[in-house]
């Protein structure tokens, strides 16, 4: 008897479905069946005619009919895995050719099999069917206007859900007449808006959506259906391409406001400089067509195309934490990308790697690519090495749908798939809308210089609305005059708005997320210098100290952890000498007691890069996390701290977005070493330093940047403070370099106690974290305040001949030298706030030490770095200072510890003896 005769004993559909399951998820199949199918695959892949081989090599002999069933299952699997390569998704180009193709001969089938009925059809939900019918269904599902990539997903339930969803109606839209008319209406609005601007503002940049107008009905479908599914807030980010169209036709921004921006009118308020019209943010409350209330937010963005994506995720997470902690799905982030940008910008990789991390997840984002197949003038073949611009989405096993943007119904259909997948699985999903760009990069650009052949085809190509209208006319859904009527009505409304716009003299910048910022005021530089009450009740501070210096008795911790906590207890309750970590933790605790939230993220922040913070304690055996700061009281704010992924750009962008949407949370990003913030330079330049001036946007993000010259080389010494100081102007941010735990305590409290928000950059110490003199008393926390300048308490005014101003850790180096040389004629005054410059306090110090005829600016950085150039620009009288610093250098610090110490000592020596200048540079003799 044939050892495989059992294969004839069951219906072939059973084996076909089992084999399909094996192909989709081998581990889900019972081991003996898995071994059987592996043997079958081995035989097929070895191209052996005779499959009844000895069992030693794993091959099996099976009945011819069942073998054919398996080959059909393989064909189905081929369409699922590779069908997206053979779609009709490109409206203006021939698709690239891929091999092997999906021809049946590549699966061991031939034309003689076309009319044979195979039970494998049941896998597609069509029952036993001829091979011809199965292929037609597969072509409709996988090779029409939508290409689907998903077979790399490792979760069988997700794969099955996707297959069930796209099998319905062969992955083809099936809309009634009213739905089709609605899609046409939104498409007509998109087309008409662009043509109106094209005629009214000839040659002006608008970065039109033409060629991808189906984005509008796609977004509209997502918003309407999401509102029905319980989504209450949308947070969207996109670059300039099509943004004005989205603002008007999705977000409901009045066209007259956009026309005012086109007319270049001045702004209503002098305090803001504003930005170009296609960068501005917008928030609106609207009702869906079914009457559901929804809040729409589109974040302001710079020209750095993908930067806004990180900000959007942070905004969404802040809203989820504060308003929907029990159901993150009620806030839906949508990020719209360009094809060249999503493929070329590394930030996208950082974003997708954040997608499921505890500190950064937002329960899934819908990513939509407005794919016009060109990046400014660069062809897509020169813009990426990957097959698709969206291949980064596969990093997190996200499904990707490629859609012909000329097919409006397909775009809507794919958009609804994306929404339903996100809502069901709380995961990212990518839509790639393949269209084109009708004009050049901007409307004044000539694209034929670089793509003459492509733009010859585009010039002859009908727009998506006219293509869809012709389809509906052929179906009898509308008549010939329907589209013209839609266009005339819409353009008439735009004409009215244009007329209203030209009656107004000024452009009004509408605040973004105004609801979150009620009660906060915009202030000028001199108001930033007002004294702020940051004292905290001693009894309450003592209670906080008690909580954060007692570990749970029922849990076992490392002995080092127990010692650390015990030492902190002694600091507060016995020695009255609080170190940096204790001052910092008590600042957080005091704010939490007052109801503020605290969020800290960055690389290794839970423990702290220099092992000083230990805000999270790990139970030794289980690694259970204990956050003592979350056990203060029932009414306290929420303390969150997360070790981030190894990212600066993405994480700073996320935390900036978080602070943007949560002004009552102290949001902190800490760099592992200060100059690691270089990786986030775009965020610093475009958002942190300039957002209030450009977009009327306050933000209280705190950046902690470890800084100090301790012989650790170029990258571990300087936080590049000169770069931040160069960005300072008027009232845009605070810059500080504190020297005591108490001053850090009051600085952090001031950040939340004022009724405005400014970014705060703090150059934090490394060696001072455990320096015996860098300590504060409890009373300095409870009764003091932030000191912009700290005078020299030990100096004898009458004896002082040299008055040296310095910042940060360098103060302690100078103090040590003064003590060593017993110099009582030198006063050391610390400038704790570098911007806004505390000029009055500095002038008062100069006036106080009236016998000092030697004024010094002392810094450990090279002369072309640090704060010296900043002082020259912002402090009147700085030109009279003698500068004690390292020479001019290209690198912040020497790699050799010996050389570093030598240079450091030279600066110290020069502070105390002006005859010992190290600033003379040697030059080569001619």
């Amino acid at each position: 008897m044939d050892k495989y005769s059992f294969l004839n004993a069951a219906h072939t559909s059973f084996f076909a479905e089992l084999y399909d399951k094996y192909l989709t998820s081998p581990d889900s199949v019972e081991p003996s069946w898995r071994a059987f199918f592996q043997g079958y695959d081995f035989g097929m892949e070895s191209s052996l005619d005779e499959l009844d081989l000895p069992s030693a090599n794993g091959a099996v002999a099976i009945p011819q009919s069942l073998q054919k069933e398996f080959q059909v299952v393989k064909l189905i699997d081929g369409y699922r895995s590779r069908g997206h390569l053979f779609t009709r998704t490109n409206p203006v180009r021939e698709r690239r050719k891929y091999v092997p193709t999906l021809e049946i001969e590549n699966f061991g089938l031939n034309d003689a099999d076309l009319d044979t009925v195979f039970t494998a059809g049941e896998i597609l939900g069509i029952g036993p069917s001829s091979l011809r019918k199965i292929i037609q269904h597969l072509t409709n599902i996988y090779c029409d206007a939508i290409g689907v990539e998903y077979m790399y997903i490792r979760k069988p339930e997700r794969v099955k859900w996707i297959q069930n969803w796209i099998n319905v109606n062969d992955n083809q839209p099936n809309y009634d007449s009213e739905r089709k008319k609605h899609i046409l209406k939104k498409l007509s609005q998109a087309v008409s808006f662009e043509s109106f601007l094209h005629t009214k503002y000839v040659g002006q940049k608008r970065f039109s959506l033409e060629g991808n107008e189906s984005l509008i009905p796609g977004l509209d479908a997502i918003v309407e259906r999401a509102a029905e599914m319980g989504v209450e807030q949308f947070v969207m980010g996109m670059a300039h391409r099509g943004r004005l169209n989205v603002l008007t036709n999705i977000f409901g921004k009045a066209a007259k406001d956009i026309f005012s921006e086109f007319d270049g009118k001045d702004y209503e308020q002098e305090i803001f400089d504003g930005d170009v019209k296609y960068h501005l943010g917008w928030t609106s409350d609207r009702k869906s067509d079914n009457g559901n209330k929804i809040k729409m937010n589109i974040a302001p963005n710079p020209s750095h195309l993908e930067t806004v994506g990180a900000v959007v995720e942070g905004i969404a997470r802040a809203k989820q934490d504060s308003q929907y902690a029990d159901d993150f799905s009620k806030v839906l982030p949508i990020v719209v990308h360009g094809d060249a940008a999503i493929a070329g910008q590394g930030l996208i990789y950082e974003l997708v790697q954040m997608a499921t991390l505890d500190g950064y997840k937002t329960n899934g984002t819908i990513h939509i690519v407005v794919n016009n197949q060109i990046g400014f003038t660069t062809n897509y073949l020169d813009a990426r090495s990957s097959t698709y611009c969206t291949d980064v989405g596969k990093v997190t096993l996200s499904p990707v749908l490629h859609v012909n943007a000329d097919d409006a119904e397909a775009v809507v259909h794919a958009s609804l798939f994306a929404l339903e997948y996100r809502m069901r699985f709380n995961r990212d999903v990518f839509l790639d809308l393949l269209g084109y760009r009708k004009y050049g990069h901007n409307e004044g650009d000539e694209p034929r210089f670089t793509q003459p052949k492509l733009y010859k085809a585009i010039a002859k190509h009908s727009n998506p609305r006219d293509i869809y209208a012709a389809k509906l006319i052929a179906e009898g859904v509308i008549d010939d005059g329907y589209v013209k009527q839609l266009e005339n009505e819409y353009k008439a409304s735009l004409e009215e708005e244009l007329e209203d716009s030209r009656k107004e003299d000024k452009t009004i910048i509408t605040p973004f997320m105004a609801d979150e910022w009620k009660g906060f005021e915009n202030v000028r530089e001199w108001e930033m210098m007002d004294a702020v009450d940051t004292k905290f009740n001693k009894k309450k501070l003592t209670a906080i100290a008690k909580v954060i210096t007692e570990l749970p008795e029922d849990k076992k911790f490392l002995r080092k952890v127990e010692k650390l906590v015990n030492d902190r207890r002694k600091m507060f309750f016995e020695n009255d000498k609080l170190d940096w970590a204790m001052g910092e933790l008590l600042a957080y605790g005091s704010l939490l007691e007052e109801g503020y939230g605290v969020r800290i993220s960055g690389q290794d922040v839970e423990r702290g890069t220099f092992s000083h913070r230990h805000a999270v304690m790990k139970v030794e055996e289980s690694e259970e996390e204990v956050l003592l700061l979350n056990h203060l009281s029932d009414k306290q704010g929420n303390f969150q701290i997360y070790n981030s992924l190894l990212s600066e750009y993405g994480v700073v962008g996320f935390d900036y977005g978080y602070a943007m949407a949560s002004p009552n949370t102290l949001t902190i990003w800490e760099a592992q070493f200060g100059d690691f913030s270089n990786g986030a330079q775009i965020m610093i330049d475009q958002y942190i330093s300039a957002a209030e001036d450009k977009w009327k946007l306050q933000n209280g993000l705190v950046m902690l940047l470890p800084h100090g010259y301790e012989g650790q080389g170029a990258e571990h010494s300087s936080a590049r403070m000169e770069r931040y100081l160069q960005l300072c102007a008027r009232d845009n941010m605070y810059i500080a370099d504190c020297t005591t735990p108490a001053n850090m305590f009051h600085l952090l409290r001031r950040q939340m106690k004022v009724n405005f928000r400014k970014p705060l950059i703090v150059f934090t110490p490394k060696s001072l974290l455990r320096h015996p003199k860098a300590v504060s008393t409890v009373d300095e926390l409870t009764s003091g305040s932030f000191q912009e300048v700290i005078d020299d308490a030990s100096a004898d005014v009458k004896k002082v001949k040299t008055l040296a101003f310095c910042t940060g850790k360098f103060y302690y180096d100078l103090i040590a030298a003064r003590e060593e040389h017993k110099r009582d004629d030198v006063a050391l005054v610390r400038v704790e706030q570098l911007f806004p410059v505390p000029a009055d306090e500095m002038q008062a110090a100069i006036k106080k030490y009236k016998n000092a005829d030697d004024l010094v600016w002392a810094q450990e950085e090279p002369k072309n770095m640090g704060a010296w150039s900043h002082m020259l620009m912002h402090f009147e009288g700085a030109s009279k200072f003698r500068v004690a610093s390292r020479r001019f250098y290209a690198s912040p610090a020497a790699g050799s510890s010996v050389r570093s110490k030598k240079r450091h000592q030279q600066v110290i020596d020069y502070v105390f003896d002006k005859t010992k200048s190290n600033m003379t540079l040697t030059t080569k003799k001619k």
Side-chain angles (χ1 to χ4, degrees):
M1 178 174 152
D2 189 325
K3 62 180 178 179
Y4 299 114
S5 60
F6 72 91
L7 295 172
N8 292 315
H11 198 282
T12 53
S13 63
F14 167 76
F15 300 113
E17 288 182 12
L18 195 60
Y19 186 51
D20 176 54
K21 187 177 180 183
Y22 160 77
L23 290 174
T24 303
S25 178
D27 291 341
S28 67
V29 176
E30 193 273 328
S32 60
W33 278 109
R34 186 164 65 243
F36 170 76
F37 290 135
Q38 286 169 344
Y40 171 73
D41 283 350
F42 177 84
M44 289 290 290
E45 290 164 10
S46 300
S47 301
L48 300 175
D49 294 327
E50 178 57 62
L51 292 180
D52 190 15
L53 301 174
S55 58
N57 71 2
V60 298
I62 60 175
Q64 180 71 16
S65 61
L66 189 55
Q67 181 178 321
K68 287 285 187 181
E69 287 284 356
F70 286 173
Q71 287 164 338
V72 175
V73 175
K74 277 276 197 184
L75 175 70
I76 293 170
D77 184 64
Y79 271 84
R80 289 169 171 170
S81 301
R82 305 183 71 248
H84 57 87
L85 297 171
F86 307 97
T87 54
R88 298 188 303 102
T89 50
N90 200 320
V92 290
R93 298 185 200 250
E94 285 277 333
R95 283 213 63 169
R96 284 183 281 180
K97 306 300 181 188
Y98 296 94
V99 290
T101 67
L102 296 175
E103 297 298 328
I104 57 176
E105 289 77 12
N106 291 323
F107 298 89
L109 301 163
N110 54 54
D111 288 350
D113 298 314
L114 286 172
D115 294 316
T116 302
V117 173
F118 292 97
T119 59
E122 294 184 5
I123 296 169
L124 302 175
I126 58 175
S129 303
S130 68
L131 178 59
R132 192 185 307 277
K133 186 177 179 184
I134 288 171
I135 292 171
Q136 185 58 54
H137 277 270
L138 289 170
T139 302
N140 290 342
I141 293 169
Y142 294 104
C143 300
D144 199 359
I146 302 174
V148 188
E149 293 186 274
Y150 69 96
M151 287 295 283
Y152 43 77
I153 296 174
R154 300 186 190 120
K155 297 287 186 180
E157 67 273 17
R158 292 182 201 161
V159 171
K160 193 65 180 173
W161 183 90
I162 291 170
Q163 289 173 349
N164 289 341
W165 201 96
I166 61 179
N167 283 352
V168 174
N169 204 43
D170 284 359
N171 199 26
Q172 302 291 317
N174 184 21
Y175 301 132
D176 60 25
S177 295
E178 287 307 307
R179 184 62 178 273
K180 291 179 178 183
K181 287 179 180 178
H182 182 77
I183 293 171
L184 179 62
K185 178 183 175 183
K186 298 305 293 184
L187 201 50
S188 184
Q189 288 174 354
V191 171
S192 299
F193 180 79
E194 297 293 355
S195 66
F196 187 85
L197 292 181
H198 193 61
T199 55
K200 299 295 182 181
Y201 297 98
V202 178
Q204 278 212 46
K205 289 183 182 180
R206 70 178 192 276
F207 298 101
S208 81
L209 190 58
E210 287 162 284
N212 269 100
E213 293 98 330
S214 55
L215 172 69
I216 298 301
L219 284 173
D220 174 72
I222 289 173
V223 170
E224 292 293 331
R225 178 72 182 114
E228 292 175 12
M229 298 175 79
V231 172
E232 295 181 11
Q233 295 210 41
F234 297 84
V235 184
M236 186 169 166
M238 67 182 297
H240 46 267
R241 177 72 54 201
R243 185 183 184 90
L244 299 178
N245 210 316
V246 169
L247 278 166
T248 300
N249 291 313
I250 298 297
F251 282 78
K253 182 174 182 177
K256 76 179 182 66
D257 293 337
I258 292 175
F259 298 148
S260 286
E261 292 155 10
F262 267 102
D263 287 333
K265 297 171 186 174
D266 200 359
Y267 301 105
E268 182 185 45
Q269 290 175 276
E270 180 66 29
I271 194 170
F272 304 109
D273 276 347
D275 199 1
V276 291
K277 49 197 167 289
Y278 37 79
H279 287 173
L280 301 175
W282 186 259
T283 296
S284 59
D285 292 298
R286 52 166 283 197
K287 282 190 176 182
S288 70
D289 291 346
N290 289 333
N292 296 297
K293 290 182 180 179
I294 47 178
K295 185 177 284 293
M296 308 283 290
N297 305 279
I298 183 167
N301 67 287
S303 283
H304 292 75
L305 302 175
E306 295 294 344
T307 304
V308 73
V311 176
V312 162
E313 300 297 342
I315 293 171
R317 177 58 182 265
K319 288 176 173 289
Q320 289 166 337
D321 281 343
S322 62
Q323 300 174 49
Y324 307 101
D326 296 331
D327 187 1
F328 275 20
S329 293
K330 289 186 178 294
V331 180
L332 174 59
I334 303 171
V335 181
V336 179
H337 311 267
D339 52 308
I342 193 174
Q345 299 292 302
L347 177 62
I348 301 304
Y349 185 83
E350 297 180 35
L351 281 187
V352 300
Q353 288 288 19
M354 287 178 173
T356 63
L357 303 182
D358 282 347
Y360 309 93
K361 65 184 179 185
T362 55
N363 271 29
T365 298
I366 296 177
H367 297 268
I368 305 176
V369 180
V370 176
N371 188 341
N372 50 44
Q373 307 186 61
I374 192 169
F376 196 175
T377 66
T378 303
N379 283 316
Y380 72 98
L381 291 173
D382 295 318
R384 62 179 184 269
S385 297
S386 58
T387 301
Y388 295 112
C389 63
T390 50
D391 281 348
V392 69
K394 298 174 188 174
V395 170
T396 47
L397 308 179
S398 302
V400 181
L401 276 68
H402 307 279
V403 194
N404 189 323
D406 268 1
D407 190 331
E409 287 188 17
V411 171
V412 170
H413 187 68
S415 298
L416 293 175
F417 167 93
L419 172 66
E420 292 190 24
Y421 184 87
R422 185 268 179 179
M423 296 300 287
R424 184 177 183 90
F425 296 110
N426 300 325
R427 300 291 293 232
D428 286 6
V429 59
F430 288 75
L431 292 180
D432 178 18
L433 307 186
L434 275 108
Y436 53 91
R437 189 185 67 196
K438 186 173 180 180
Y439 303 106
H441 179 66
N442 59 66
E443 286 62 35
D445 183 48
E446 176 51 79
R448 289 176 179 81
F449 287 147
T450 45
Q451 283 82 22
K453 184 178 176 183
L454 172 63
Y455 275 89
K456 190 177 287 186
I458 289 172
K460 300 174 184 176
H461 197 76
S462 299
N463 68 54
R465 182 199 61 190
D466 292 346
I467 291 171
Y468 189 48
K471 178 176 182 284
L472 297 191
I473 290 170
E475 292 176 1
V477 175
I478 61 171
D479 57 30
D480 289 343
Y482 189 83
V483 171
K484 198 64 185 172
Q485 181 184 345
L486 282 178
E487 185 173 27
N488 289 341
E489 289 174 358
Y490 185 72
K491 285 193 172 180
S493 70
L494 293 179
E495 287 284 2
E496 277 186 39
E497 299 240 25
L498 181 61
E499 189 177 330
D500 289 344
S501 164
R502 290 183 172 165
K503 294 174 184 175
E504 298 175 357
D505 297 328
K506 301 282 187 181
T507 293
I508 299 172
I509 300 178
T510 304
F512 178 59
M513 293 195 301
D515 286 354
E516 282 81 352
W517 288 87
K518 282 179 181 173
F520 290 90
E521 298 178 2
N522 294 105
V523 299
R524 305 304 296 265
E525 182 178 349
W526 54 88
E527 295 170 286
M528 293 169 67
M529 299 297 288
D530 289 346
V532 180
D533 183 3
T534 56
K535 297 190 296 293
F536 192 75
N537 179 273
K538 189 169 185 177
K539 185 177 179 181
K540 290 182 178 179
L541 194 70
T542 302
I544 293 169
K546 187 173 186 298
V547 172
I548 66 174
T549 58
E550 286 184 358
L551 291 169
E553 293 181 0
D554 60 339
K555 301 180 192 299
K556 189 175 185 301
F557 296 86
L558 289 170
R559 272 187 298 219
K560 284 186 177 181
V561 172
E562 292 173 350
K563 181 180 185 304
L564 172 85
V565 174
N566 189 49
D567 287 347
R568 286 179 177 173
R569 186 173 183 80
K570 288 178 181 177
M571 278 180 207
F572 192 96
F573 293 99
E574 296 177 23
N575 304 329
D576 197 18
K577 288 184 178 180
L578 308 179
D579 68 3
W580 196 274
M582 196 61 176
E584 183 188 331
L585 293 172
L586 288 170
Y588 303 145
S590 68
L591 290 169
L592 291 167
E593 258 308 328
E594 292 173 327
Y596 296 102
V598 175
R599 174 191 164 91
I600 308 172
S601 91
Q603 294 151 23
D604 309 295
V605 296
E606 294 178 7
R607 187 198 74 178
T609 297
F610 312 105
S611 200
H612 84 286
R613 182 174 292 119
H614 292 279
V616 177
M617 311 284 189
K618 294 287 183 76
V619 177
E620 185 173 359
E621 298 300 326
S622 65
E623 294 195 359
E624 175 193 346
E625 295 186 345
V626 176
L627 281 74
L628 297 175
L629 280 168
N630 270 331
H631 298 277
L632 303 179
S633 68
D634 294 337
K635 296 180 180 179
Q636 72 167 84
N638 188 30
F639 178 70
Q640 303 176 72
I641 186 165
Y642 300 103
N643 285 342
S644 75
L645 66 162
L646 196 64
S647 152
E648 289 90 31
Y649 190 1
V651 175
V652 170
F654 186 101
D655 287 329
Y656 180 88
Y658 198 100
M660 189 191 297
S662 189
N664 284 314
T665 296
L666 178 67
T667 305
I668 297 174
W669 177 78
E670 182 176 60
Q672 194 170 63
F673 284 89
D675 75 337
F676 288 10
S677 62
N678 288 350
Q681 198 64 49
I682 292 173
M683 280 305 314
I684 295 161
D685 291 347
Q686 305 302 326
Y687 279 94
I688 290 169
S689 67
E692 186 169 2
D693 207 20
K694 291 193 293 187
W695 304 318
K696 202 175 180 179
L697 202 67
Q698 294 192 60
N699 195 290
L701 178 68
V702 179
M703 296 178 69
L704 302 183
L705 310 178
H707 176 90
Y709 281 60
E710 286 115 350
Q712 296 185 53
E715 279 74 52
H716 291 171
S717 297
S718 172
R720 295 286 196 173
M721 66 166 63
E722 63 278 357
R723 295 184 178 176
Y724 297 90
L725 294 171
Q726 187 183 38
L727 293 170
C728 290
R730 301 196 304 185
D731 49 27
N732 65 334
M733 53 184 168
Y734 285 111
I735 309 284
D737 190 3
C738 298
T739 58
T740 71
N743 226 21
M744 183 67 171
F745 174 90
H746 292 293
L747 177 66
L748 292 173
R749 285 184 52 74
R750 183 184 73 172
Q751 187 70 358
M752 302 307 290
K753 300 298 284 185
V754 293
N755 65 341
F756 58 88
R757 293 289 179 264
K758 304 284 181 181
L760 168 62
I761 314 300
V762 189
F763 298 102
T764 55
K766 304 191 294 289
S767 61
L768 296 194
L769 298 176
R770 294 171 181 83
H771 196 290
K773 289 192 174 181
V775 293
S776 299
T777 65
V778 173
D779 283 346
E780 286 174 324
L781 272 60
T782 58
S783 60
S785 63
F786 178 70
Q787 301 175 73
E788 287 88 358
V789 172
I790 301 180
D791 194 7
D792 193 334
S794 64
D796 185 334
V797 176
K798 293 178 182 178
K799 293 181 180 179
V800 171
K801 299 297 183 183
T802 296
L803 172 59
F805 290 94
C806 61
T807 68
K809 164 253 176 190
F810 197 41
Y811 165 76
Y812 291 95
D813 298 334
L814 296 176
I815 282 285
R818 187 173 71 176
E819 290 175 354
E820 180 184 350
H821 298 297
K822 298 181 172 56
R823 294 286 298 273
D824 59 3
D825 60 336
V826 179
L828 301 173
V829 175
R830 289 167 272 177
V831 181
E832 301 279 292
Q833 179 171 290
L834 291 164
F835 192 81
V837 173
D840 291 346
E841 290 89 338
M842 291 177 68
Q843 292 289 7
I846 294 172
K847 188 176 180 181
K848 174 183 175 181
Y849 296 100
K850 56 186 177 182
N851 294 333
D853 56 5
D854 181 25
L855 300 180
V856 181
W857 177 262
Q859 64 178 45
E860 54 188 342
E861 303 87 0
K863 193 173 183 181
N864 56 311
M865 301 177 196
W868 168 237
S869 59
H870 171 72
M871 284 296 162
L872 270 177
M873 287 190 289
H874 292 273
F875 180 61
E876 188 177 345
S879 59
K880 297 177 183 178
F881 286 4
R882 173 168 64 88
V883 184
S885 71
R886 280 166 164 79
R887 296 176 181 178
F888 292 89
Y889 289 107
S891 173
S896 160
S897 60
V898 172
R899 180 174 293 184
S900 180
K901 287 176 184 176
K902 179 182 177 182
R903 290 177 179 173
H904 198 66
Q905 189 60 48
Q906 286 174 339
V907 179
I908 293 171
D909 291 345
Y910 184 51
V911 171
F912 293 93
D913 185 350
K914 58 185 173 185
T915 67
K916 291 188 175 182
S917 174
N918 71 327
M919 295 303 294
T920 304
L921 299 178
T922 57
T923 56
K924 187 182 289 186
K925 291 182 180 179
K926 293 184 179 178

